[in-house]
């Protein structure tokens, strides 16, 4: 079920109404049924896979919690099970085609049917939440005893398909405390949903055809249009994914739950480290806690640290999709992060410049790196990414493929988003409004206007586009 | 009052305001949307046509079909001729719904025939594109527009016909869902008027040009008649509409309206189509008049485009329709 679909417009209010009408002790069970219905709406047979993964993880978790000291074997079993499930559905096809390509490259006349499995929606998120659960149990945290509460943790529909990746300690504590209806949280939830709808339908879906046009016709696009297309994609993916998170967080709040923040104005970051603390935060923190630190983190000297960063980012890239260009994107970020570390080769402190220029220069360098690396993420292959980069430096014989209106749309959205975030970093009108009597009119007006603008764009676009992160 | 209590109090009141806005938006959206629709479509939208029809007693003769009925049926001319023949006033009306297929005609005829006052004769215009299973027009908005006043029978018929039932029901449950796209189109047309903002306006004295002819014929062949496959559902819906008329005791006839270039471009399909319609009508004892070549195709001053006559063409065509009414059984 898409958050921006008509079905969800009816599904969410129905679930919210029933949830608050039910006695508190029945709510988790009802939310689990609603969440499984939400999942089955996409592909009912895959619900069995999710239920199966949940059952295995529950049994292994309960067994682990009974042991003191905790069993390394059980941890290995649990992690291997989750990685294997993810691997089978997501990466077998990639390995298969790669092996075939290598065989052909070295002159073998090998031929076998290539496996193309459908990747169950949200599998990567399910797997990462289960792995976090099993690792934390091994580290000594207590297990979720109630099977219903345990099943609800990964299945919770507001975060089911594309996160944020939750921590079970926070979530389960909320489930067990049976949150009561809080008008403040509810209103904030509505505001988040309205904002998310506007970001997705009004902005991200407006940028989508522009970015698609440039990446599809990169050979014909001139320098300016290539830059505009890449910029369009960088804002499209941010607005699309942060809109999904807003709607997910808002939906959770309507049900009385708070789920983690995933974005904090990433395009204002002045270093790549800061960027990753602001972009897809729940994934960044997961990678830090369950990959980077177990690999040794920064405890074994600068070169090992850089290697750990590289490995973490490469795997993070591959997590996004079973394609080598995602790995290259992750590696690109890893290399840039490693090079950009204190004492690294290209750290900004090596450059002598006036203090007033330091922050703008750091911002420009960071965002330029991010922008260039988005090409690897968006392009269907590394070859296309190289061609787009060539186009960006004028090495392709391109012409004008975008209209002036398209170019101005991209610039206006990019400037608008950055300006709004800069202002909001200094002034928070919401905080000022919370205590003001004007809130009674202004907050509903804010929600209404956002919904109307989203409806206007939905009507203009005429098509409901999937969220980009649904594929991961 | 502590700041937390104050915040809680304000949030509660904000939620009440929001709820009130959401509830008020439902009837207001309907009122606003139909005004917008009437303006954009120059009164040729399903809502305006239906309200106009339902606001007075049923006519003696009703022509029902797609936009050709709206454009080609000269109600005044036909009424004068029929009145002269009958020696009393014979009222004539038309319901020409853009791109109407038999499913929509069946639904609108349910409304027409379930009124206390019913037409004595109904002439259903047949449109070739409507029987193409490969062309599935989106009808939900039309069903919404025919929904007032609501009645259970209509809801049942509309639900049975619309392939997007959940969206149809969603618009009935939350009218804003049905009306938001119309309001959005209104805003768009106000900000940036385009040809689509007045596409359905009546073509009074427009004259077909080579450019219009080429454009519409291309559009027709590539969109409406592309990959033509007979739609059993639409054939069934046509007979259902016919049965609805007859069950109410009214006389019925089928008519094929004039076209200019479509048949020639679509041969041999068009011959097969006409034959299929004749066989179907004969099997069900419904008189059918094939008037696709009744108007001079070489005189472009009678045509607004390849599938519509202008006012002058409609006036010249009226006697043919008078004959159709006389043959209705």
């Amino acid at each position: 079920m898409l958050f921006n679909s008509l079905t969800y417009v009816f599904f969410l209010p129905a679930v919210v109404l029933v949830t608050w009408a039910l006695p508190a002790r029945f709510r988790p069970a009802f939310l689990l049924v609603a969440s499984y219905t939400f999942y089955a709406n996409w592909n009912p047979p895959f619900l069995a896979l999710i239920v199966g993964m949940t059952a295995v993880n529950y049994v292994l978790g309960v067994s682990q919690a009974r042991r003191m000291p905790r069993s390394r074997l059980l941890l290995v079993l649990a992690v291997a099970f989750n990685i294997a499930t993810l691997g089978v559905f997501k990466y077998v096809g990639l390995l298969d085609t790669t092996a075939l390509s290598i065989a052909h490259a070295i002159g073998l006349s090998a031929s076998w049917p290539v496996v193309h499995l459908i990747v169950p929606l949200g599998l990567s998120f399910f797997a990462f939440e289960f792995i976090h659960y099993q690792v934390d149990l091994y580290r000594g945290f207590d297990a979720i005893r109630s099977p219903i509460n345990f099943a609800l943790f990964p299945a919770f529909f507001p975060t089911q398909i594309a996160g944020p990746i939750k921590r079970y300690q926070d979530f389960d504590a909320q489930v067990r405390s049976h949150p009561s209806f809080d008008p403040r949280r509810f209103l904030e939830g509505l505001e988040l949903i309205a904002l998310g709808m506007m970001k997705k339908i009004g902005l991200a879906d407006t940028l989508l055809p522009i970015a698609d046009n440039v990446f599809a016709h990169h050979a014909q696009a001139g320098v300016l249009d290539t830059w505009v297309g890449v910029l369009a994609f960088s804002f499209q993916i941010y607005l699309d994914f942060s809109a999904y998170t807003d709607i997910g967080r808002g939906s959770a709040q309507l049900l009385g739950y708070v789920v983690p923040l995933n974005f904090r104005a990433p395009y204002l970051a002045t270093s790549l480290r800061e960027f990753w603390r602001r972009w897809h935060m729940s994934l960044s923190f997961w990678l830090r806690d369950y990959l980077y630190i177990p690999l040794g983190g920064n405890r074994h000297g600068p070169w090992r640290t850089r290697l750990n960063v590289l490995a973490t980012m490469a795997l993070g890239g591959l997590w996004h999709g079973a394609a080598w260009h995602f790995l290259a994107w992750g590696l690109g970020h890893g290399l840039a992060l490693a090079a950009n570390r204190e004492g690294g080769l290209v750290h900004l402190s090596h450059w002598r410049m006036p203090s007033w220029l330091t922050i703008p220069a750091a911002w420009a360098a960071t965002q330029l790196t991010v922008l260039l690396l988005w090409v690897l993420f968006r392009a269907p292959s590394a070859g296309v990414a190289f061609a787009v980069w060539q186009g960006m430096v004028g090495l392709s014989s391109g012409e004008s493929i975008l209209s002036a209106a398209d170019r101005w749309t991209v610039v206006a959205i990019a400037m608008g988003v950055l300006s709004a975030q800069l202002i909001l970093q200094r002034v928070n009108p919401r905080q000022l409004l919370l205590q003001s009597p004007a809130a009674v009119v202004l907050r509903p007006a804010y929600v209404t206007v956002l919904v109307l603008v989203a409806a206007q764009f939905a009507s203009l676009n005429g098509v409901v586009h999937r969220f980009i992160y649904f594929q991961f | 009052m502590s700041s937390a209590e104050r915040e809680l109090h304000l949030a509660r009141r904000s939620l009440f305001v929001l709820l009130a806005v959401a509830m008020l938006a439902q009837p207001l959206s309907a009122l606003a949307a139909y005004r917008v629709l009437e303006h954009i479509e120059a009164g040729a939208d399903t809502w305006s046509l239906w309200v106009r029809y339902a606001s007075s007693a049923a006519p003696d003769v009703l022509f029902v079909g797609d936009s050709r009925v709206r454009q080609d049926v000269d109600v005044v001319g036909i009424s004068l001729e029929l009145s002269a023949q009958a020696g009393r006033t014979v009222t004539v009306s038309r319901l020409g719904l853009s791109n109407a297929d038999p499913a929509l005609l069946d639904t609108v005829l349910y409304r027409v025939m379930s009124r206390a006052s019913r037409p004595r004769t109904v002439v259903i215009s047949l449109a070739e594109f409507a029987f193409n299973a490969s062309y599935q027009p989106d009808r939900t908005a039309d069903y919404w527009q025919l929904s007032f006043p609501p009645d259970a029978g209509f809801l049942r018929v509309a639900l049975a016909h619309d392939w997007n039932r959940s969206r149809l029901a969603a618009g009935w449950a939350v009218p804003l869902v049905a009306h938001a796209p119309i309001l959005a189109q209104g805003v768009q047309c106000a900000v940036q008027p385009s040809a689509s903002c007045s596409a359905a306006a009546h073509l009074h004295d427009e004259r077909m040009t080579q450019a219009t002819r080429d454009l519409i014929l291309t559009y027709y062949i590539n969109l409406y008649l592309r990959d033509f496959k007979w739609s059993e559902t639409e054939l069934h819906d046509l007979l259902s509409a016919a049965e609805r008329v007859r069950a109410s005791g009214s006389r019925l006839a089928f008519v094929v309206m004039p076209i200019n270039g479509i048949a020639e471009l679509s041969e041999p399909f068009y011959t097969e189509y006409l034959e299929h319609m004749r066989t179907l009508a004969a099997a069900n004892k419904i008189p059918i008049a094939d008037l696709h070549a009744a108007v001079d195709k070489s005189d472009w001053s009678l045509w607004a485009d390849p599938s519509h006559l202008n006012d002058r063409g409609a006036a010249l065509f009226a006697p043919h329709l008078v004959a159709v009414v006389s043959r209705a059984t």
Side-chain angles (χ1 to χ4, degrees):
Chain A
M1 196 182 296
L2 294 176
F3 276 171
N4 52 337
S5 68
L6 194 56
T7 320
Y8 193 69
V9 170
F10 285 85
F11 175 82
L12 180 64
V15 172
V16 169
L17 277 175
V18 176
T19 299
W20 292 115
L22 282 173
R25 66 181 187 283
F26 295 129
R27 284 178 201 153
F30 171 70
L31 284 176
L32 181 62
V33 172
S35 298
Y36 281 161
T37 307
F38 180 91
Y39 196 86
N41 183 264
W42 166 67
N43 190 333
F46 278 127
L47 182 58
L49 175 80
I50 301 306
V51 173
M53 282 180 82
T54 306
V56 171
N57 277 285
Y58 178 72
V59 171
L60 289 172
V62 169
S63 313
Q64 181 73 283
R66 285 203 197 104
R67 288 171 164 75
M68 196 55 77
R70 297 292 161 87
S71 159
R72 181 179 278 268
L73 178 67
L74 276 177
L75 171 69
V76 170
L77 261 179
V79 172
F81 168 74
N82 289 303
I83 290 177
T85 311
L86 187 60
V88 165
F89 281 96
K90 199 161 174 175
Y91 300 108
V92 162
L94 174 69
L95 294 176
D96 210 8
T97 45
T98 305
L100 206 56
S101 304
I102 292 171
H104 288 159
I106 59 175
L108 294 176
S109 57
S111 171
W112 58 82
V114 176
V115 178
H116 285 296
L117 292 176
I118 298 172
V119 183
L121 271 185
L123 183 64
S124 309
F125 292 89
F126 277 94
F128 271 30
E129 288 194 344
F130 283 133
I131 291 171
H132 133 74
Y133 176 72
Q134 299 293 352
V135 173
D136 279 12
L137 285 187
Y138 179 74
R139 287 172 178 169
F141 286 93
D142 204 7
I144 303 175
R145 302 285 170 182
S146 155
I148 288 174
N149 292 8
F150 177 75
L152 183 60
F153 162 59
F156 188 53
F157 74 85
T159 61
Q160 184 186 76
I161 307 298
I165 301 168
K166 307 183 294 297
R167 298 299 168 102
Y168 86 91
Q169 297 89 338
D170 299 335
F171 187 75
D172 189 49
Q174 293 184 65
V175 176
R176 280 188 284 114
S177 71
H178 296 307
S180 54
F181 182 82
D182 181 344
R184 289 166 299 187
R185 191 174 282 180
F186 198 91
L187 183 59
E188 200 179 298
L190 290 175
E191 288 170 345
L192 278 169
I193 292 172
L195 179 66
M197 289 286 185
M198 208 284 285
K199 279 159 80 174
K200 166 66 180 161
I201 302 169
L203 302 180
D205 287 356
T206 300
L207 293 172
L208 179 145
I210 301 172
D212 279 2
N213 187 11
V214 170
F215 277 88
H217 306 105
H218 58 87
Q220 289 88 45
V223 181
L224 178 64
D225 284 357
T226 311
W227 277 94
V228 171
V230 176
L231 187 67
F233 177 70
S234 73
F235 275 87
Q236 182 210 340
I237 191 168
Y238 165 60
L239 291 163
D240 188 284
F241 193 16
S242 67
Y244 177 89
T245 309
D246 289 340
I247 299 171
R249 290 180 64 229
S251 304
Q253 291 198 196
L254 297 190
L255 299 164
Y257 295 89
V258 175
V259 294
L261 198 66
N262 232 3
F263 294 91
R264 213 162 36 82
Y267 291 153
L268 295 184
T270 53
S271 73
L272 275 180
R273 285 181 76 182
E274 191 190 351
F275 174 80
W276 281 104
R277 287 183 189 139
R278 289 165 172 262
W279 177 273
H280 202 174
M281 292 149 68
S282 64
L283 175 68
S284 302
F285 298 153
W286 191 99
L287 290 171
R288 180 196 64 194
D289 295 345
Y290 301 101
L291 198 56
Y292 175 69
I293 292 174
L295 282 171
N298 59 2
R299 299 189 301 273
H300 303 288
W303 285 104
R304 176 68 187 275
T305 303
R306 291 189 182 106
L307 201 63
N308 291 339
V309 168
L310 202 61
T312 304
M313 295 311 293
L315 287 169
L318 204 54
W319 173 88
H320 281 83
W324 296 118
H325 65 100
F326 285 119
L327 177 72
W329 173 74
L331 271 172
H333 268 281
L335 282 169
L337 273 166
N340 193 229
R341 287 190 70 81
E342 201 66 53
L345 295 172
V346 291
H347 195 268
L348 211 63
S349 59
H350 289 241
W351 302 79
R352 288 175 185 280
M353 59 176 73
S355 58
W356 60 268
L357 201 59
T358 312
I359 291 177
W363 174 80
T366 303
Q367 297 307 331
L368 184 64
T369 310
V370 171
L371 190 73
L372 291 173
L373 288 170
W374 278 133
V375 175
L376 273 173
F377 191 96
R378 172 60 182 79
S381 66
V384 173
F386 277 111
V388 173
W389 282 330
Q390 283 181 336
M392 290 173 91
V393 291
L395 292 180
S396 66
S397 54
E399 57 204 51
S400 179
I401 61 166
L402 295 177
S403 66
D406 284 345
R407 291 190 203 112
W408 283 114
T409 301
V410 176
V411 171
I413 291 176
M415 297 295 286
V417 169
L418 291 179
S419 314
Q421 291 181 339
L422 263 175
I423 294 166
L424 289 173
Q425 270 198 344
R426 282 155 182 78
V427 192
N428 190 339
R430 231 184 121 264
Q431 281 302 328
L432 297 175
L433 200 61
L434 287 178
Q435 301 288 327
S436 159
V440 175
V441 175
L442 291 180
R443 294 184 76 184
Y446 170 74
V447 173
T448 309
V449 168
L450 288 178
V451 168
L452 289 178
V453 172
Q456 178 70 36
F457 277 100
S459 174
L460 283 181
N461 297 339
V463 191
V464 178
H465 296 288
R466 277 166 63 111
F467 286 90
I468 294 177
Y469 262 67
F470 267 33
Q471 63 189 293
F472 307 134
Chain B
M1 195 186 278
S2 72
S3 73
E5 282 170 341
R6 183 171 173 73
E7 200 183 309
L8 190 67
H9 172 73
L10 290 172
R12 194 174 289 128
R13 290 184 65 182
S14 299
L15 281 177
F16 276 121
V17 171
L18 206 50
L19 185 67
V21 169
M23 290 177 74
L24 265 176
Q26 307 310 319
L28 287 180
S29 71
L31 289 173
Y34 291 128
R35 280 200 170 272
V36 168
L37 198 60
E38 191 178 7
H39 180 71
I40 295 174
E41 305 261 331
D45 55 288
T46 301
W47 160 258
S48 303
L49 292 171
W50 169 244
V51 167
R52 215 175 301 144
Y53 177 82
S55 61
S56 54
D60 295 308
V61 179
L62 173 67
F63 287 86
V64 64
D66 68 328
S67 59
R68 289 172 219 187
V69 165
R70 202 169 62 230
Q71 192 66 39
D72 299 358
V73 177
D74 174 9
V75 286
V76 176
I78 296 169
S79 174
L80 286 172
E81 182 62 32
L82 287 172
S83 300
Q85 286 178 9
R88 61 172 183 88
T89 304
V90 177
T91 53
V92 179
S93 189
R94 64 190 175 201
L95 268 172
L97 313 177
S98 298
N99 290 351
D101 57 2
L104 181 61
L105 295 183
D106 187 36
T107 317
V108 80
L109 281 169
Y110 169 86
R111 296 238 84 161
V112 167
M113 296 324 233
S114 57
R115 294 177 73 213
S117 151
R118 290 190 282 265
R120 289 183 192 173
T121 305
V122 174
V123 179
I124 298 178
S125 160
L126 307 175
E128 56 291 316
F129 66 83
F131 298 98
N132 184 3
S134 307
Y135 171 63
Q136 268 210 324
D138 187 350
R139 287 270 153 260
T140 311
D142 294 290
Y143 295 129
W144 280 328
Q145 289 168 44
L146 287 169
S147 298
F148 298 97
D151 89 69
F154 167 75
L155 301 186
R156 204 173 49 247
V157 175
L159 272 176
H161 284 318
D162 195 358
W163 48 263
N164 201 337
R165 292 188 184 93
S166 56
R167 188 173 47 154
L168 180 65
W172 285 333
V174 183
L176 188 60
V177 168
H179 303 130
I182 300 170
L183 294 172
Q185 194 191 351
V187 173
Q188 180 63 15
C189 286
V191 173
Q192 200 176 26
S194 66
S196 66
C197 293
S198 56
H202 194 86
L203 309 165
H204 289 287
D205 47 14
E206 276 77 356
R207 188 182 162 147
M208 182 162 71
T209 61
Q210 190 65 49
T212 327
R213 191 170 190 270
D214 293 346
L215 182 76
I216 297 201
L217 284 180
T218 309
Y219 188 73
Y220 214 86
I221 302 298
N222 290 335
L223 180 70
Y224 290 170
L225 299 182
R226 191 176 181 172
D227 302 329
F228 191 94
K229 283 193 284 285
W230 282 102
S231 166
E232 291 304 320
T233 314
E234 296 290 6
L235 290 168
H236 173 268
D237 292 340
L238 177 67
L239 293 179
S240 166
E243 181 52 35
R244 215 177 274 291
V245 173
R246 285 190 157 165
S248 304
S250 300
R251 297 192 309 152
L252 174 69
F254 286 165
V255 63
V256 176
M257 298 298 239
I259 47 167
N260 191 339
I262 294 167
E264 290 77 357
L265 261 182
S266 318
E267 287 291 357
F269 152 74
Y270 210 81
T271 311
E272 185 204 324
Y273 158 72
L274 291 173
E275 189 51 43
H276 202 102
M277 285 296 123
R278 275 191 214 107
T279 311
L280 185 84
N284 291 278
K285 297 187 174 57
I286 301 166
I288 182 167
D290 171 14
L291 302 179
H292 87 273
V295 177
D296 184 359
K297 294 182 187 184
S298 61
D299 186 355
W300 287 13
S301 69
L302 304 177
W303 297 83
D305 63 48
S307 58
H308 300 108
L309 298 171
N310 55 25
D311 283 355
R312 201 167 145 247
L316 284 173
F317 180 55
H320 295 279
L321 291 177
V322 169
V324 172
V325 173
S326 310
R327 288 207 301 271
T329 56

